[in-house]
């Protein structure tokens, strides 16, 4: 967010306030009234006219009676009628002045004095005809009007043609519930409450949802005036207030850039759009990481200037609000707000981080696109507030905070070695979104990791309160020195200059107590890696970079497991070579050793160990399979099946299994040969037992089937007893029941 450094109060602060002149003077003496109001503007954009209806309830909070209440009306109002309970009321109208940005004020005479604590509700209606002036445009096909409410407590509803191109001040929302008469008329209702507060909460979906549903907490509260929001509605396509164009980014992809503006400010919009198109790709290059969205939308806002705000950025949405009344720094503001898409409060935790980096980026990029940046003389303030205090103290001018924070990042850039290192640090902002929102300590750490320079004094001078920060910085320095020594030793051992993730996470979180123990564990792993590496070299193995990669990215425990896997793989390969030394060079069992070496040098240590073991296992299994095949042959040759064995041999083919076992052994697959030989042998050896088991199973099945038939016949011969009267159909006791044997007596 960029604030205007010199507020032009008369220009905007008086925009559509509760009148000027006599009424402004009366503001101090008018008895206190509070109100709640709803004003509805229905736009007939094709005709260039607006119908207005309002309802306002007044509460007398004074100690005396009130006989007259004010109702605020837009200039050029026609057919104005004010009623209470459908009864017309008399009023006097002080005309508005569009050029002076002053509303009309109807002083309404109440039919009876409003007593203290009393309430009264009034209704009013009027229409706005075609007109063209310095502030309001109502022409066929184009309406551009600053709508008003009745001050604090107001809701303003704007019904616009749904088929038109409509732009309302940020902070106005599409209503959650659309009235039937609005939808049936082809309109869409927008709701405007506390427009500034809502626009500044554009990245909070909960607030937006509540306000769109007309939560009373979203009524106008902050603004003491009656101005609500500008609205632009266009049905004539030739009068749209939208600029849109794809912008080519440094890597060749395109981002769609859009600027929605009010037509009266078309020249301003064209200038800002031209600057934005040039600056946006340059900003991505400067920050070193990709803009995360496919489009970026800039919207002109009349409202934010009322509060001295020149621009607002929503880095989590890809949106920017811009004011055209910045006091002469329009282009600077545009670049500044676009810079927040990389350095905003989505990614960063403190104002001096996001505002300072946006200010730094603006000063870097502006000269490249022909924009002169206004110098901020913050040093003449003769104060020295630490930058970390921005946002927690109300002291200090905008010149001080923006100027000092921008200069800090230039000092930081120089301290870490220049622009290239600065971009490298900034490029890491999006590496770990889980760490967002980043604090100043993250930048201190990243700068030191990259440059190997001590930044304590820089941050003490610019950012921290020295008296409270020094003890923590001393503890931090001790931890960082330990880690720096570990990094040097790791690099000398061939592990690179990275930092194990658990050590890195503690440093980034500024949790320093565990670091000493972690460094000691790191030294143990460096020694273990050296031993395993020497063992691998002795075995003629080339050590891959898998452990070096793990060292710089994974936890110490994961790297320790990987080093042990590497050691075991070397031992397995050496053992396999010793046990298979007598095998010929073309032996299939030596292929496992070759595979193991390949997998080892690819960094798959577990796979290498398995492959090395498979050759030895295959050789052992082959020897066992040869013996078992011989036993199976002997069993086959001596096999003489009896009755039970014949039953057991049904549906089996042990000869085929024996032939497959012999083929597998010939191919060097000892494991499969052993398995098939075992199955063939067991088929002959267990034939009698298997036959008995099959016959026993068959007998059991026959017995169960016989019992089921007996049970069925018995049930047919002796059916259940007849039910008693009242329990359903029954057979008389003296009537003979049928039997399943009656078929024997059936006449032919």
């Amino acid at each position: 967010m960029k604030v205007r450094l010199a507020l032009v109060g008369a220009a905007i602060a008086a925009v559509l306030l509760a009148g000027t002149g006599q009424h402004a003077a009366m503001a101090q003496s008018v008895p206190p009234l509070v109100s709640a109001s709803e004003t509805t503007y229905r736009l007939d954009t094709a005709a260039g006219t607006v119908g207005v209806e309002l309802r306002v309830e007044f509460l007398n909070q004074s100690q005396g009676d009130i006989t007259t209440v004010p109702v605020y009306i837009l200039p050029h109002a026609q057919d104005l009628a004010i009623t209470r309970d459908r009864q017309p009321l008399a009023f006097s109208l002080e005309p508005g002045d569009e050029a002076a940005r002053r509303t009309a004020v109807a002083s309404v005479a109440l039919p009876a004095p409003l007593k203290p604590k009393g309430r009264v509700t009034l209704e009013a209606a009027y229409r706005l005809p075609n007109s063209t002036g310095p502030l309001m445009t109502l022409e066929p096909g184009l309406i551009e009007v600053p709508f008003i409410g009745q001050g604090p407590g107001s809701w303003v509803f704007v019904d616009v043609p749904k088929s038109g191109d409509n732009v309302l001040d940020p902070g106005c929302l599409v209503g959650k519930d659309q009235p039937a008469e609005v939808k049936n008329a082809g309109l869409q209702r927008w709701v405007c409450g506390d427009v500034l507060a809502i626009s500044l909460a554009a990245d909070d979906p909960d607030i937006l949802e509540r306000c769109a549903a007309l939560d009373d907490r979203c009524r106008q509260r902050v603004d003491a005036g009656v101005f609500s929001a500008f609205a632009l509605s266009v049905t004539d396509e030739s009068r749209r207030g939208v600029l849109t164009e794809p912008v080519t980014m440094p890597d060749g992809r395109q981002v769609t850039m859009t600027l929605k503006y009010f037509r009266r400010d078309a020249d301003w919009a064209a200038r800002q759009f031209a600057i934005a198109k040039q600056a946006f790709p340059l900003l991505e290059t400067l920050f070193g990481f990709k803009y995360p969205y496919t489009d970026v939308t800039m919207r002109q806002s009349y409202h934010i200037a009322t509060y001295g705000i020149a621009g607002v950025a929503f880095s989590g949405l890809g949106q920017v609000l811009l004011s055209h009344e910045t006091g002469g720094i329009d282009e600077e503001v545009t670049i500044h707000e676009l810079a927040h898409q990389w350095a905003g409060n989505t990614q960063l935790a403190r104002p001096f981080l996001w505002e300072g980096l946006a200010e730094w980026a603006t000063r870097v990029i502006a000269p490249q696109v022909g924009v002169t940046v206004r110098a901020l003389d913050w040093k003449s303030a003769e104060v020295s507030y630490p930058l970390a205090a921005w946002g927690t103290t109300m002291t200090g001018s905008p010149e001080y905070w923006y100027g000092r924070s921008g200069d800090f990042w230039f000092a930081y850039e120089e301290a870490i070695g220049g622009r290239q290192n600065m971009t490298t640090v900034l490029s890491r902002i999006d590496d770990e979104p889980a760490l967002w929102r980043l604090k100043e300590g993250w930048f201190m750490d990243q700068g030191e990791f990259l440059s190997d320079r001590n930044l304590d004094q820089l941050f003490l001078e610019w950012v921290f309160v020295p008296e409270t920060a020094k003890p923590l910085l001393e503890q931090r320095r001790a931890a960082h020195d330990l880690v720096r020594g570990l990094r040097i030793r790791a690099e000398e051992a061939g592990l690179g200059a990275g930092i194990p993730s658990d050590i890195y996470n503690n440093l980034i979180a500024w949790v320093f107590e565990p670091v000493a123990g972690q460094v000691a564990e790191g030294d143990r792993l460096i020694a273990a890696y050296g031993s395993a590496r020497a063992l691998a070299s002795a075995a003629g193995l080339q050590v891959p970079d898998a452990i070096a990669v793990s060292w710089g990215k994974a936890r110490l425990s994961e790297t320790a497991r990987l080093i042990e896997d590497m050691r075991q793989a070397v031992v397995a390969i050496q053992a396999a070579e010793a046990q298979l030394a007598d095998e010929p060079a073309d032996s299939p069992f030596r292929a496992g050793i070759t595979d193991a070496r390949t997998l080892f040098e690819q960094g798959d240590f577990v796979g290498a160990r398995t492959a090395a073991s498979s050759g030895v296992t295959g050789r052992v299994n082959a020897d066992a399979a040869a013996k078992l095949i011989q036993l199976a042959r002997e069993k086959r040759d001596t096999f003489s099946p009896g009755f039970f064995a014949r039953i057991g041999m049904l549906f089996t083919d042990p000869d085929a299994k024996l032939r497959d076992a012999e083929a597998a052994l010939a191919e060097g697959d000892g494991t499969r040969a052993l398995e098939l030989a075992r199955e063939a042998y067991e088929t002959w050896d267990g034939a009698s037992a298997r036959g008995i088991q099959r016959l026993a199973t068959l007998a059991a099945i026959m017995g169960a089937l016989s019992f089921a038939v007996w049970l069925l016949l018995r049930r047919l011969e002796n059916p259940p007893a007849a039910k008693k009267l009242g329990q359903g159909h029954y057979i008389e006791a003296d009537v003979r029941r049928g039997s399943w044997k009656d078929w024997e007596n059936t006449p032919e």
Side-chain angles (χ1 to χ4, degrees), residues 86 104 138 231 236 432 572 583:
R86 299 186 178 181
L138 293 98
D236 182 346
E432 299 177 274
E583 289 289 317

Side-chain angles (χ1 to χ4, degrees), residues 16 22 53 162 223 265 325 366 403 456 473 479 571 576 613-614 664 691 747:
L16 301 177
Q22 177 183 355
E53 295 181 354
K162 194 168 184 180
D223 193 348
D265 300 310
E325 298 179 283
D456 289 357
L473 289 183
V571 170
S613 300
S614 68

Side-chain angles (χ1 to χ4, degrees), residues 44-331:
D44 184 349
T45 307
T49 61
V50 178
V52 187
E53 295 181 354
L54 68 89
R55 177 183 179 278
V56 55
E57 180 181 19
F58 294 99
L59 169 63
N60 181 1
Q61 291 195 136
S62 72
Q63 301 300 313
D65 293 351
I66 293 178
T67 58
T68 304
V69 294
V71 176
Y72 301 103
I73 308 295
L74 279 172
H76 312 303
Q78 293 183 354
D79 303 329
L80 174 61
I82 302 176
T83 62
R84 181 194 179 201
D85 296 332
R86 299 186 178 181
Q87 298 300 313
L89 298 178
F91 59 87
S92 61
L93 184 66
E94 179 182 343
D97 186 336
E98 182 182 349
R101 303 187 176 192
R102 185 176 67 242
T103 66
V105 182
S107 297
V108 184
L110 298 176
L114 184 62
K115 300 296 183 181
K117 311 267 187 215
R119 298 173 184 266
V120 63
T121 300
L122 307 182
E123 295 85 24
Y126 61 93
R127 68 183 184 88
L128 298 174
N130 293 159
S131 66
T132 301
L135 197 62
M136 301 169 61
T137 300
L138 293 98
E139 299 173 352
L142 170 66
I143 292 178
E144 190 175 47
V145 173
F147 292 118
I148 64 171
Q150 299 298 310
S154 295
W155 276 117
V156 169
F157 305 139
V158 184
D159 298 341
V160 296
K162 194 168 184 180
S163 60
D165 180 36
N166 307 298
V167 180
L168 280 79
D169 245 338
C172 293
L173 307 169
V174 175
K176 184 176 181 180
D177 297 317
Q178 297 284 317
E181 68 273 14
V182 173
K183 291 192 292 185
N184 294 339
L187 303 173
Q188 183 180 57
R189 173 158 293 180
W190 287 66
V191 299
C192 311
D194 202 330
V195 174
L196 179 70
I198 296 171
S199 67
L200 295 180
D203 52 0
D204 188 330
D206 180 60
I207 291 178
L208 299 185
E209 184 177 1
R210 287 195 286 106
C211 293
L214 302 182
D215 188 316
D216 269 341
R217 290 171 291 181
C218 298
R219 287 179 181 267
Q220 180 178 329
R221 295 177 182 273
V222 176
D223 193 348
V226 297
F227 170 59
S228 178
F230 263 81
L232 170 69
S233 180
V234 180
T235 55
D236 182 346
E237 285 298 309
S238 66
R239 313 188 75 173
R240 305 175 69 231
V242 178
L243 295 171
T244 185
E245 189 173 319
V247 175
T248 302
M249 303 304 281
D251 63 355
R253 76 188 194 285
Q254 291 191 324
V255 172
T256 301
M257 177 174 285
T258 301
L259 172 58
K260 297 184 177 182
Y261 63 95
F262 298 99
R263 288 280 300 181
R264 66 180 63 253
D265 300 310
D267 291 342
W268 168 87
R271 292 194 306 273
Q272 304 320 303
F273 197 67
I275 290 295
K277 287 191 299 180
Q278 296 178 66
F280 204 63
L282 296 175
L283 287 166
E284 182 168 284
T285 299
L286 182 64
F287 280 95
F289 65 96
K290 288 184 179 181
Y291 174 69
Y293 307 110
T294 58
D295 51 58
V296 58
T297 300
M298 300 175 289
R299 299 177 64 185
Q300 182 186 2
S301 171
Y302 269 76
H303 207 80
I304 61 175
T306 307
Y307 298 89
I309 299 173
V312 180
F314 302 100
S315 55
L317 299 173
Q319 296 182 11
V320 169
L321 309 184
L322 298 173
S323 169
H324 68 293
E325 298 179 283
T326 64
I329 58 170
D330 294 352
E331 288 77 11

